[in-house]
Amino acid sequence: MSQNTPRPGEHLNSEYAGEAGWTVIPGQSSVADAFPPIEVQHKHRLDWKRYDLDIQRLHRYRIRRLQSTMDAHVCDALLLFDPVNIRYASGARNMQIWTMRNPGRYCLVLRSGKIILFEMGGRVQHAAGLPVIDEVRTAQPWFYYYGGSESPVHAANFAAEIADIVGCDGNGIVRPRIFVDRIDRQGLIALERTGLTATDNAQELMERARSIKSEDEIVATRMAIDVCEAGIARIRQELRPGVTELALWSEMHQVNIELGGEYLETRLLTSGLRTNPWHQEASHKKIESGEMVSFDCDLIGPLGYGADLSRAFVCGNAPTVEQKDLYRRAYDQITFNTQLLQVGAPFSEIIRKALYLPDDYHQWHRIAHGNGMSTGEYPAIGRRPGFADGAIHQGSIEEGMILCVGTFVARKDGGEGVKLEHQLVIRSTGPEQLSSSLYEPEFFQ
């Protein structure tokens, strides 16, 4: 363990003070619950794990990434409403799901590196123990639920405050360029009326910055993967004839929350013929003996980092010949495509060289995708879902990217389907596996 990081569980009995004097207080920080008590770790057989993670270094690296990317895009200020982007920039978490649809909080990042967090009611507890937040102010949301008939007034007040801050920090810039990730028309017009040049380029900037991970971020991702794989083990343990898809899926939620994780982004667990086509959601259907069960975790774990793992098991019986064939095709495709992910390889070349399924099978739209504080971010290497042509992103593989490689294998004319996906980090020597092997002996016997 790093000296700047408490061993999991230690801080639950007393305050933890790092070398720079910042503190993590249980129940008052966006990072404290990432380290569960030893008895919780033991329950899920994770008590032997040790994570060399420096919280301060992790946050300061992310700010440097933002500053360098802002310089490259000639951006004077970032205005962030997306809770994932706010988390990346500031480290602060507050009602992540609710604020995905209700923009009640926001964060301003200046090119100097100064960070001002605007919280509902000006509450400071979410910033406790976080080393990069310079100031917490009271947010001025204008969406209807919070603004009512006074929404235009609140929007104007919000914009005036942002303009005042950016103008004071602009060192004589006449019309500072402010990049916004997500804002409605009313808010955008209010910003422009102050004289700011506001654009919606912040999401691209943020995802480019987030795409290269530090070693601390890689460790945080390993923590999320360990939590996810504990959930996978629970699903395998509880899989039996008569259990419903939703009851089985709830096990992943329970494990994630108990171990300090945050939420699941999807409900993708199906069984039997409901596995094909993919993207059907978990239901009250009872799982029968001999049925294939496929699921995609899309888990946001401790510290807000994601584990995007997919697995497939057979309930009760040994796999049939057909089930083995589906699994092997998925395994072989992922194994082949993973080795294409070498530093410097252009995305277009990977798409051209990738292994695809025969024409009578559904074609999975994505060869690989980035993963960090969301289970899907730049780069997306492949095509848009439902479209045969046209790559999504241009670029090439870079060292430090965390990528997921997956597929879905099922015949177009029906039958069951297999969804598999694993997670890796790109090193100078090639892909390094972060998640456990997809090899399941019963499918290869």
Side-chain angles (χ1 to χ4, degrees), residues 34-62:
F35 305 96
I38 194 68
E39 60 268 21
V40 175
Q41 297 177 70
H42 179 74
K43 173 182 175 181
H44 296 283
R45 300 181 181 179
L46 294 177
D47 46 321
W48 61 277
K49 294 281 187 177
R50 294 294 179 266
Y51 303 102
D52 187 10
L53 175 66
D54 187 315
I55 294 291
Q56 289 197 75
R57 189 173 59 200
L58 177 143
H59 285 88
R60 297 197 186 283
Y61 169 84
R62 296 192 317 214

Side-chain angles (χ1 to χ4, degrees), residues 140-171:
Q140 300 194 64
W142 64 91
F143 63 97
Y144 183 72
Y145 177 60
Y146 269 15
S149 61
E150 296 296 310
S151 290
V153 175
H154 299 319
N157 292 338
F158 144 80
E161 184 175 17
I162 296 298
D164 180 64
I165 297 169
V166 175
C168 288
D169 193 71
N171 297 319

Side-chain angles (χ1 to χ4, degrees), residues 227 255 268:
V227 170
V255 171
L268 297 175

Side-chain angles (χ1 to χ4, degrees), residues 365-434:
H365 58 276
R366 198 71 39 80
I367 296 163
H369 67 81
N371 198 85
M373 301 193 88
S374 65
T375 60
E377 59 187 35
Y378 174 85
I381 305 173
R383 298 182 173 88
R384 291 189 300 151
F387 294 86
D389 301 314
I392 298 175
H393 293 140
Q394 302 298 323
S396 58
I397 299 296
E398 298 180 58
E399 186 176 358
M401 285 181 168
I402 288 182
L403 301 176
C404 296
V405 185
T407 190
F408 169 70
V409 178
R411 297 181 64 91
K412 293 178 181 177
D413 60 2
E416 294 181 313
V418 164
K419 179 71 170 66
L420 294 182
E421 188 170 14
H422 67 186
Q423 197 159 332
L424 51 93
V425 60
I426 301 298
R427 303 294 193 184
S428 60
T429 54
E432 176 188 307
Q433 192 83 12
L434 295 177

Side-chain angles (χ1 to χ4, degrees), residues 99-110:
T99 54
M100 285 182 185
R101 63 182 181 85
N102 296 303
R105 59 196 292 262
Y106 42 95
C107 181
L108 185 66
V109 182
L110 303 179

Side-chain angles (χ1 to χ4, degrees), residues 64-82:
R64 290 195 301 273
R65 282 290 299 174
L66 286 181
Q67 286 180 283
S68 63
T69 311
M70 290 171 74
D71 286 342
H73 285 73
V74 194
C75 170
D76 298 305
L78 278 172
L79 182 57
L80 307 174
F81 289 87
D82 186 315

Side-chain angles (χ1 to χ4, degrees), residues 22 55-57 59-60 90 127 129-134:
W22 63 279
I55 294 291
Q56 289 197 75
R57 189 173 59 200
H59 285 88
R60 297 197 186 283
S90 70
L130 299 176
V132 297
I133 299 173
D134 296 286

Side-chain angles (χ1 to χ4, degrees), residues 181-194:
D181 61 352
R182 184 182 299 172
I183 193 169
D184 64 15
R185 187 169 180 270
Q186 188 174 50
L188 182 61
I189 291 173
L191 286 172
E192 291 174 339
R193 284 176 175 168
T194 67

